[in-house]
Amino acid sequence: MKNISKLSVALCTYNGEKFLKEQIDSILNQTISVDEIIICDDCSSDSTIIILNEYNQKHPNLFKIYINEFNLRSTKNFEKAISLATGDYIFLSDQDDVWRKDKVEKTLEIFSKNPIVEGVFSNANLIDDNSNPIYNEISLWESFCFFHESIKEPSDLRRSLIHIGNFLTGATLCIKKEVKDFSIPFLTSDNFIHDEWLAYILTERNTLMFSTEKLISYRLHQNQQLGVGKLSNPEKTLKNNREYNHVLMDIYKPKRFKDCKAKVRFHYSQYEKYYTLYEKHRIPLFKNILDDLKTKFIESNLEMKKKYPIRYFFRIYSDKRKGKRQLKES
């Protein structure tokens, strides 16, 4: 790829001794080499720092290691790592995944073909503690209800983010350096972390794009901070998630009561999240999204009432009694 002066990796660590070497080796073994690896460690108490220093001794001009004075947690730690990166393109990395050898190459190809794009993310395979593939029936995207065939234009990414929830796993993301100018400081909330903030800001600008290729192996293990959870029946999960996606993206109308319930549940969950964000940050755009989700929630309830009036009555009665799914004044 022409006119690239520098490629950076922003890698955050915290007690990552078990999987860190495999991840770093996969970054070092790319078909296109990166120019710097920025590592921000969030007060690890295991041998993570020893491992990092070993790599730094072998590659002294490649690694830049920063050890936090106090625990920042993942969102603010990634903010720090990204802010310290000096490359034209910044690849985000978790400490416990494995990159495909051509991840950097394939990602840069998308940027090269789409000059206005400011961020590119990808799908991923799922692996276990021993790096063995698991849940071959379902990919990372499919595990949380994101199906690329539902995305026909950039605005569909925005709609999916608002109506269904976050689809962007930060560990698969690469951004242009200019993104730092309008994304930092990251807005935070308990259920709105750095990758969703970047998805939010980039879809608002219509500059986010994806690769359908599985460019990393995403590790599922007991100690990870976030993940897709244990899938007892991947094939059933895949089937249900595809149906929910199509209902929530208005590709087809709900055909069963459980589809209506899912639509109400998803819309209210998103409404509650953006209500919290608006109350905390008072950003007008959050208010617009909140109003949109409120409308979708009301419409979903009316859809349920029309198709299943008796079940709707008992659902509404139960929710009011338990104080669940009640709209708030903003």
Side-chain angles (χ1 to χ4, degrees):
M1 186 173 177
K2 297 179 181 179
N3 300 322
I4 298 299
S5 59
K6 200 174 224 184
L7 302 177
S8 298
V9 175
L11 170 59
C12 290
T13 59
Y14 176 69
N15 290 343
E17 62 180 5
K18 187 173 182 180
F19 306 113
L20 184 56
K21 288 184 179 180
E22 188 174 10
Q23 172 64 306
I24 292 178
D25 287 343
S26 74
I27 295 172
L28 294 176
N29 198 32
Q30 290 293 298
T31 56
I32 294 180
S33 299
V34 300
D35 299 292
E36 67 174 8
I37 301 177
I38 304 294
I39 300 180
C40 290
D41 183 79
D42 212 18
C43 305
S44 290
S45 58
D46 64 359
S47 63
T48 293
I49 302 302
I50 295 173
I51 294 169
L52 293 177
N53 286 334
E54 289 173 353
Y55 277 98
N56 191 31
Q57 289 175 2
K58 294 177 183 177
H59 309 274
N61 297 320
L62 180 62
F63 287 85
K64 297 178 182 178
I65 301 169
Y66 301 85
I67 301 173
N68 298 338
E69 294 182 4
F70 55 89
N71 190 271
L72 296 178
R73 306 194 68 178
S74 69
T75 293
K76 284 300 179 181
N77 202 26
F78 267 107
E79 178 185 300
K80 178 181 177 179
I82 291 168
S83 68
L84 291 168
T86 61
D88 298 284
Y89 293 83
I90 304 168
F91 291 81
L92 279 61
S93 175
D94 286 351
Q95 65 184 357
D96 49 8
D97 302 321
V98 182
W99 286 12
R100 209 172 81 180
K101 287 185 178 182
D102 58 352
K103 170 181 162 61
V104 171
E105 179 181 351
K106 291 293 185 179
T107 302
L108 294 179
E109 284 177 2
I110 294 176
F111 279 114
S112 180
K113 294 175 183 177
N114 302 275
I116 68 167
V117 168
E118 296 174 311
V120 173
F121 67 102
S122 77
N123 202 350
N125 294 307
L126 302 176
I127 58 174
D128 64 13
D129 280 30
N130 299 312
S131 301
N132 296 318
I134 54 175
Y135 307 138
N136 293 325
E137 307 90 338
I138 190 167
S139 71
L140 176 66
W141 283 357
E142 294 162 344
S143 71
F144 49 69
C145 214
F146 181 74
F147 292 83
H148 70 272
E149 60 265 25
S150 301
I151 308 301
K152 306 300 183 185
E153 53 190 31
S155 61
D156 288 336
L157 274 177
R158 182 69 166 177
R159 192 154 57 93
S160 179
L161 181 69
I162 302 305
H163 292 168
I164 301 177
N166 187 37
F167 49 72
L168 193 159
T169 300
T172 72
L173 178 65
C174 177
I175 57 174
K176 288 182 177 177
K177 65 179 180 181
E178 292 80 9
V179 174
K180 295 194 292 184
D181 297 336
F182 53 80
S183 66
I184 295 175
F186 292 175
L187 296 192
T188 60
S189 178
D190 288 342
N191 60 348
F192 191 82
I193 62 174
H194 66 279
D195 47 12
E196 188 163 6
W197 166 243
L198 289 167
Y200 170 86
I201 205 82
L202 291 171
T203 55
E204 171 63 19
R205 295 166 62 88
N206 272 338
T207 58
L208 182 64
M209 198 167 183
F210 57 81
S211 167
T212 59
E213 294 191 71
K214 299 166 185 174
L215 296 181
I216 76 166
S217 293
Y218 183 82
R219 194 183 304 274
L220 299 182
H221 59 90
Q222 186 176 4
N223 296 323
Q224 69 187 143
Q225 182 181 15
L226 295 170
V228 302
K230 184 177 181 179
L231 303 178
S232 58
N233 190 332
E235 291 181 348
K236 184 177 180 180
T237 298
L238 175 62
K239 179 177 181 293
N240 289 340
N241 284 359
R242 179 175 280 110
E243 290 173 351
Y244 292 152
N245 175 276
H246 290 172
V247 168
L248 293 165
M249 292 293 285
D250 295 320
I251 294 174
Y252 61 68
K253 295 292 183 182
K255 296 179 180 179
R256 300 161 298 182
F257 180 67
K258 76 171 189 175
D259 295 333
C260 291
K261 283 200 305 182
K263 201 169 184 179
V264 169
R265 185 179 71 249
F266 272 90
H267 286 148
Y268 185 81
S269 174
Q270 287 298 98
Y271 166 84
E272 194 169 44
K273 174 164 52 181
Y274 280 95
Y275 178 87
T276 301
L277 288 167
Y278 178 68
E279 288 293 296
K280 184 175 182 179
H281 300 289
R282 289 292 167 175
I283 296 177
L285 190 56
F286 283 159
K287 180 62 165 62
N288 295 338
I289 293 171
L290 190 62
D291 290 341
D292 174 54
L293 288 167
K294 181 177 180 179
T295 298
K296 295 296 290 186
F297 174 68
I298 292 171
E299 289 175 352
S300 299
N301 268 306
L302 290 176
E303 195 170 33
M304 182 190 293
K305 182 178 181 180
K306 183 178 179 180
K307 288 180 174 289
Y308 306 97
I310 297 176
R311 292 186 182 184
Y312 166 82
F313 171 80
F314 284 109
R315 179 68 184 265
I316 292 296
Y317 175 78
S318 176
D319 281 355
K320 286 184 177 180
R321 186 180 175 191
K322 296 176 182 178
K324 297 171 62 177
R325 287 178 281 273
Q326 303 302 299
L327 294 174
K328 307 172 180 70
E329 294 295 330
S330 58

